[in-house]
Amino acid sequence: IEVSSFDIQSPVVNGEVYPITFFLSARTALRTSERFPNGRLQPYGFLGVSSVVLRASVHSQGLSVHLYKGVIPLPNGSENLSRAIFSPYIVGGLAWGLSPDWYVFGEWRRTEFNTTSETVNSIFWPTQRGTVSLAVRTDHYYLGLSRRFRPRRPSPHANPA
């Protein structure tokens, strides 16, 4: 399970996105050796689904809408809470062993979803109605260093107690 967040900022849309992701991961070992029994080169991937919690304000052509969508109930029973948003979650990465304990990695992650909402320009005197569609696609790239913790083997020279 992974919980993350990112902001949406544009001339028309401002908001926050909170994907709650459930995924399966797979890693394979390439270039194994005695020094790197789990592989010096390790391609990996995640595949899953995100339930997206969205809070956004959209202002376009005289219409405004405040979107609150997702799995978390909000006060005042917003009409825009009617549907949860689900998104596919895809990750691909590659790790290279610098030593048996230290790996450098590069990773790509994709989040993508669409949602719509009906709106009016005024609750009291509506003169204009419309539908606001919001499509979000993010590509995140990571480069980093990871530490692998391995169980310590007892030294063959240790004195038994």
Side-chain angles (χ1 to χ4, degrees):
I1 296 176
E2 176 182 277
V3 178
S4 58
S5 68
F6 56 90
D7 292 333
I8 301 172
Q9 301 293 325
S10 78
V12 178
V13 180
N14 292 306
E16 298 89 34
V17 177
Y18 303 94
I20 303 166
T21 306
F22 299 90
F23 60 87
L24 296 173
S25 64
R27 180 183 302 267
T28 189
L30 302 177
R31 301 204 51 193
T32 59
S33 66
E34 188 175 312
R35 185 168 178 227
F36 292 94
N38 294 324
R40 185 162 199 172
L41 183 63
Q42 297 179 352
Y44 60 92
F46 304 164
L47 188 59
V49 65
S50 297
S51 177
V52 178
V53 177
L54 167 69
R55 188 181 80 174
S57 296
V58 182
H59 307 282
S60 177
Q61 299 175 356
L63 293 174
S64 294
V65 64
H66 299 284
L67 300 171
Y68 300 100
K69 293 194 174 191
V71 295
I72 298 175
L74 297 174
N76 302 328
S78 171
E79 88 282 352
N80 291 314
L81 259 181
S82 57
R83 284 176 263 151
I85 302 170
F86 293 98
S87 166
Y89 183 71
I90 304 168
V91 175
L94 188 63
W96 176 261
L98 302 173
S99 75
D101 295 328
W102 291 95
Y103 282 74
V104 63
F105 69 90
E107 190 172 282
W108 162 80
R109 296 180 181 207
R110 158 81 50 91
T111 302
E112 186 172 352
F113 65 88
N114 300 304
T115 187
T116 61
S117 183
E118 300 295 322
T119 188
V120 294
N121 63 343
S122 171
I123 295 172
F124 301 109
W125 193 266
T127 59
Q128 189 177 13
R129 297 182 185 278
T131 300
V132 174
S133 296
L134 180 64
V136 175
R137 175 181 161 181
T138 65
D139 289 298
H140 298 241
Y141 299 93
Y142 298 93
L143 184 61
L145 190 63
S146 67
R147 169 87 160 91
R148 311 288 170 91
F149 296 95
R150 299 177 293 147
R152 297 264 180 207
R153 294 184 185 154
S155 170
H157 304 292
N159 288 335

